[in-house]
Structure formats: structure tokens, C-alpha cells
Amino acid sequence: MAEQRKDRAWPVVRRVLAGCAAVSLAVVLAAAPARAQGEPQVVTDAGPVTGTTEQGLSVFRAIPYAAPPVGPRRFLPPAPPQKWTEPRDARTLGPACVQDPDEHEMPAGTPTSEDCLTLNVWTPATQGRKPVIVFVHGGGFTSGTARNPWYDGAALARRDAVVVSIQYRVGPFGWLDLSSLGDAYATSMNNGLLDQMAALRWVRANAGAFGGDDHNVTVVGESAGSISISALLGTPSADSLYDRVVLQSGTAGEVATRAWSANIADQFTKLAGVSDRRQLLGLSTADLQQAAGKLYDVQFSDTAFHPVVDGTLIPGLPMKRIAAPDGPAKPVIIGTTLDEARYWLYYMPALNWLPQLFYLPWLHDVAGDRADRIADAYRRERPELTGPQAGLALVGDVAFRMPAIRMAEALSRRGVPVHMYLAKMTSPDLNGTLGAPHAIELPFVFGTLTAAGAPAFVGTDPANARLSDTIQQLWTSFARTGVPAATGVTWPAYDVGQRRTLTLDRTAVEVVGDPYPQARRAWGGLRFDGSDPGLDRLTPLQPLARLASCIVTGICG
């Protein structure tokens, strides 16, 4: 989830340096040398692009799928890119979207820019009709970039697929509610989601030119990317943009209300030092980023920005549409990790010492008179957990695992093909205290086990390569046929009777019927749909964040 900030020292200096890096990158790109002999060239619907050949793959980077959202286009929906006639250099990664730096989401020194709506393509050949896999990165809607080396698509593409990674606006640039300023800004709280839809339209229009099958597009998301795709399942206008879905640790149970987004906008406006939202339009990038940093300090940043049920783009709670008889029917893989919330230990080490007692008031608020039996179920079913770990297990299941189960239940009851997984491979980092944390499966999915930072997170166990091979087989076969398959692995569909779930671990990849059933049953009929609980009760840190917000901003509603 990698959304909390460890260090805010010298924020202005860091942002100035990042801005300088972005300008330098633009100069380099503008002065890029002419196409070398043999470099691949493809004609997109906006103009030709020149890529590079890397170990048998044709790779194209930083292709714009929308016009730069800068100047008067800031805070507006994405617009089509301007067409060009001369071949555009697509050999170098573009800047990340402007964001609060997070070392777990973006390597230090990464250039950033508001002009960031680009995508990258890896393809085995520009001829043919291969399945297309589109990846939407996470980062809590406040950070993240397709530049992350963990998301390099080369290994997946070598399994005979076209792989696309996209960038979308994060933080206030993509999710700040300015709808009170008039019709032009009516979608501002969901512009990041509209960016993703624009990228998927680009894929439909251009996949064939890169050797992909534009009628076989699988969209894969993790964390905020997975929440985004879940929101798209509740968006009728997005139905035509994808053919299959993979949801990794993010569900339709994590959407915001209009009241939530309006409150966040009020806080942001006050923290930016202006008297009304219209004045935000004239602030510099640095000023907006400084206000965002202050917001994340006083408002738990995992929940500050999320897709908003606005009544138009997202007409109602996505879970309601997912459960409806006429809801989306595309095949789905959905899963979580066993210890999702322990990822927060990177940002809040004190969670290692907070007893389970700390979580009980929040648990009573969420579950009412079921709270004690829920806590008892976790103690019985996972006796190896310490008190602090048991508390984090409750939080992880409220935010991730239980909403995923509710989605799988709703889809399977309608006959939609849905396959569920539970990732149990542990991380050796932080002296092994992370367990099987949020994002642990990412380097296995991409085959980037040796990318920068990955060995510390996933370790160097020889079994990692075998597990990665199996997971890549499953994901790419699902993209190809809609049925996940791998050597020696049969993954049956999920149903509410047997609840068969594929567990992913270094020692075995096997199907288990209803893993951790006592905990699942203890939650009873809670909907986990974005309203029960909502973002205001999603974690026990929310009350603390609201108190801090009240003290700092004076907004105590």
C-alpha cells in the first residue's frame, strides 16, 4: 500500500529538484537522436512512434494517450492527444506524475511532471494478435508510477503477450473535488479514473498495431489500481474497455462518497492557504504539492483520495452493480495477501507494539456486538499471531480480504467466472515481521524478483523463481483464454459452497476450501461494500486522523 510518508524534511527542496529533473528530461527527449537502423516503428492513431529492441522484444515508452493536463487543462478530464506526423521518440521512460515522494513507490531522483499521461508497451512482435495485459499501478491514489522497476513488463511479454503499463494523475491533480466550480470540473474527483479509461480506449484503438488483440484486453491492478478497476466494474460507460479483470488487493469496498470528497476538498483548500476552491486553480505545482503533503499529515493518506460515487460516472456503489443481474460479467481473478496491513510497518513501526486492545474500540464501531466473537475467532484460528499482529490481521481483512470475498460471492452467485487466490509467501524484510504483506505478489507476477528493492522484500529463496513462473503462467493463460492454468496447477472457480481458493506460497501452490473459515463466518453479514464500513471506519487510524485534522485545520465535522 506504500502510502504513508516517512520523512517530510525539506519538501520544497525535493520538489524543486524534481521539477528541474523533469525539465532536463524534456530537453533530452526533444534532442533525442534519429531512429537507428532496425529500431521498431509503429503508427498509432495519433502518429508514428519509434521504440527500441531489447532482448528480442520491441519496447515503446512514454507514448502519450491524452493531451498534457497542464495550464488551463489542469483538473479537467483527459483530452485526446494532439496528432503528430514525424516519428516520436518512444525509447525513454517519461516522468512520473507529480506526487509526494515515497521510496517504496518511486526510486529517489525520479523526474516528475504534471505532463505525465503516458503508457509503455512491451511486445514480442508488432505482427499477430496476442492477448493484451494492461497494468494499473497502486500507490493509494497519492503516489505511484509505471516507471517503478517492479512493473517492467518484459518477462510477461516473453510469454507471448503484449504488456502495457499506464500512468494516471494522483493526489489532488487526479482526485480533488472541485465540482463546486461548475460543470467543467464536475468530474474532477474522478479524473484519475477517467485517465485510466482514456488509456484503455487507446489500447482498444492501437493494440493491433503492436501485435495485440484489441478484442482480448485483460486489465490488471494492484492496490489503488485494483480499487480503480473495481470502480470501473461499477461504471457502465467502462464496460466496453476490457475483456477480463485481475484484482490484486483492492476492491469495490473502498470507494468514497460525495460528502467525503467535499470534506477533503475543504481541508485541502484551508491547508493551501486560500479562501475558496477557485483560488486553487492558480496555485503553482509546488504550492499544490505542499498542501497535499500537509493533508497527508493530518488525514490518513490511505483514504484521503479514492474513486468517488458521484452519481454520474459511478452511478452508485460498485458492489451493488456487481451483484445486480445485469451487472458486469467479464471473468475475474481476485485475491489478497494473508497479512495485508503489516505493510504499514514500513511507515509506522510502532504498530509492532500496539496491543490488540488498541483495535477493539474501532472493531466495536465496525462490527457492533459481533466484535468480541470476531476477535476470538482470530485468536483461535491464528494462534501464532502476537497481539499487535492479530490487530493488524483484523485491519487487513476489513480493508482487503473480506471485501474481496464479498465481491467473489456476488460474482459467483450470478454465474460470472471468478477465481480467488490468497498469497501467503512471506517477506524477510524488517526481520521477518511483515509476514505476507500487501504487494508481496507483485515481483512474482512481473518476474522482477531481482529489480531494485525487490530482493529485500521477497528474499532470494531459490523457490521464488519457480513460484514466479507458476504465477506468470496463471496470469497469462487467464489473459489468453479466461481460464487460469499452469503446469501441475488446476484452479477451479470460486463458489459460495466450497469457496475453493488458490493459495500461493513457496512450498506449494494448492487449492484450499474456505481458508480461515472461522474468521470469515465471524464477520457475519457485514456488507464490506463501501458503505458498511465506509472510508471513515476503514481503519482504526481514522479517528486519530480526524482528531489531528480538527486540531490543525479547525474542520471538525
Side-chain angles (χ1 to χ4, degrees):
M1 196 180 304
E3 286 98 1
Q4 298 303 305
R5 283 20 186 205
K6 295 165 74 174
D7 176 18
R8 299 203 180 281
W10 304 343
V12 175
V13 174
R14 291 205 309 270
R15 288 168 183 135
V16 169
L17 290 176
C20 292
V23 171
S24 298
L25 179 69
V27 172
V28 169
L29 289 177
R35 175 192 180 195
Q37 186 174 4
E39 286 184 318
Q41 191 170 99
V42 163
V43 178
T44 73
D45 59 357
V49 292
T50 299
T52 184
T53 300
E54 298 177 1
Q55 296 181 318
L57 297 176
S58 294
V59 184
F60 302 82
R61 298 183 172 94
I63 303 173
Y65 65 82
V70 299
R73 294 219 54 82
R74 179 197 273 171
F75 300 125
L76 296 183
Q82 291 185 339
K83 296 184 182 297
W84 60 87
T85 56
E86 293 300 314
R88 183 185 182 97
D89 192 315
R91 292 173 290 184
T92 307
L93 289 167
C97 293
V98 173
Q99 58 193 268
D100 204 41
D102 182 330
E103 64 180 341
H104 294 286
E105 295 291 350
M106 188 174 72
T110 298
T112 63
S113 172
E114 289 189 58
D115 180 3
C116 62
L117 299 186
T118 61
L119 51 78
N120 312 301
V121 182
W122 292 261
T123 180
T126 55
Q127 305 297 319
R129 294 181 64 82
K130 301 169 186 63
V132 181
I133 298 173
V134 181
F135 180 69
V136 185
H137 68 75
F141 304 99
T142 63
S143 60
T145 172
R147 291 180 60 104
N148 191 319
W150 290 15
Y151 309 151
D152 187 288
L156 277 178
R158 290 193 181 94
R159 294 178 182 270
D160 206 33
V162 174
V163 178
V164 181
S165 65
I166 70 171
Q167 298 195 142
Y168 57 94
R169 284 173 281 182
V170 296
F173 301 93
W175 307 95
L176 183 63
D177 187 349
L178 299 177
S179 57
S180 62
L181 301 185
D183 291 346
Y185 300 95
T187 66
S188 56
M189 75 294 288
N190 282 320
N191 279 343
L193 198 63
L194 290 172
D195 291 346
Q196 296 169 26
M197 293 172 65
L200 290 172
R201 288 191 189 94
W202 184 96
V203 170
R204 284 290 201 209
N206 293 284
F210 293 85
D213 184 351
D214 58 313
H215 294 292
N216 187 6
V217 175
T218 297
V219 58
V220 180
E222 191 271 340
S223 193
S226 184
I227 296 170
S228 296
I229 299 168
S230 299
L232 291 181
L233 292 174
T235 303
S237 58
D239 286 349
S240 63
L241 301 179
Y242 57 88
D243 303 291
R244 316 189 208 289
V245 171
V246 179
L247 303 174
Q248 299 177 200
S249 297
T251 70
E254 296 158 283
V255 290
T257 63
R258 290 298 298 266
W260 179 272
S261 67
N263 179 263
I264 292 293
D266 286 342
Q267 293 186 50
F268 187 90
T269 301
K270 187 161 189 174
L271 292 167
V274 297
S275 58
D276 63 70
R277 296 184 195 177
R278 187 165 295 279
Q279 290 177 288
L280 295 172
L281 303 180
L283 294 183
S284 68
T285 303
D287 286 342
L288 289 169
Q289 272 303 93
Q290 187 174 26
K294 293 177 181 178
L295 178 70
Y296 306 147
D297 281 338
V298 301
Q299 167 65 51
F300 188 52
S301 67
D302 280 5
T303 53
F305 295 115
H306 270 63
V308 178
V309 180
D310 60 356
T312 305
L313 182 69
I314 308 176
L317 288 173
M319 270 296 293
K320 289 187 176 180
R321 183 169 190 257
I322 288 167
D326 59 348
K330 310 294 175 62
V332 176
I333 288 176
I334 183 170
T336 64
T337 72
L338 181 59
D339 302 301
E340 293 276 4
R342 288 203 226 173
Y343 197 93
W344 289 339
L345 292 173
Y346 277 126
Y347 309 99
M348 293 172 282
L351 293 175
N352 255 328
W353 295 281
L354 285 177
Q356 191 179 32
L357 182 66
F358 166 81
Y359 298 91
L360 292 183
W362 161 78
L363 184 59
H364 278 277
D365 187 32
V366 171
D369 59 8
R370 303 189 69 89
D372 291 338
R373 76 189 77 172
I374 291 169
D376 287 342
Y378 281 76
R379 283 191 286 264
R380 289 193 307 270
E381 204 156 48
R382 298 192 65 187
E384 77 281 5
L385 299 181
T386 65
Q389 290 171 348
L392 287 173
L394 291 167
V395 176
D397 280 8
V398 168
F400 296 100
R401 184 166 176 259
M402 286 308 302
I405 289 174
R406 290 291 182 267
M407 283 189 68
E409 290 170 344
L411 291 166
S412 66
R413 286 189 178 111
R414 293 176 42 225
V416 177
V418 55
H419 294 78
M420 176 161 264
Y421 74 85
L422 180 63
K424 301 178 68 175
M425 50 278 206
T426 58
S427 170
D429 210 4
L430 300 188
N431 297 316
T433 58
L434 290 171
H438 190 73
I440 189 66
E441 77 271 43
L442 276 173
F444 293 89
V445 169
F446 281 94
T448 51
L449 299 169
T450 61
F457 188 56
V458 301
T460 56
D461 190 316
N464 282 352
R466 295 192 297 273
L467 179 57
S468 179
D469 176 67
T470 297
I471 292 174
Q472 287 192 322
Q473 287 185 56
L474 292 167
W475 264 234
T476 53
S477 70
F478 177 75
R480 189 170 296 108
T481 67
V483 178
T487 303
V489 177
T490 300
W491 188 357
Y494 187 88
D495 64 76
V496 295
Q498 296 181 309
R499 299 182 181 273
R500 293 170 294 188
T501 302
L502 189 70
T503 57
L504 305 173
D505 207 347
R506 295 178 181 89
T507 55
V509 175
E510 59 185 355
V511 175
V512 175
D514 197 10
Y516 305 99
Q518 293 183 52
R520 179 189 60 77
R521 288 194 295 265
W523 287 105
L526 268 74
R527 294 191 297 272
F528 296 101
D529 63 354
S531 68
D532 180 25
L535 287 182
D536 60 329
R537 295 184 297 152
L538 197 62
T539 80
L541 300 180
Q542 280 301 91
L544 298 178
R546 287 197 296 272
L547 177 61
S549 174
C550 175
I551 293 171
V552 173
T553 70
I555 301 172
C556 302

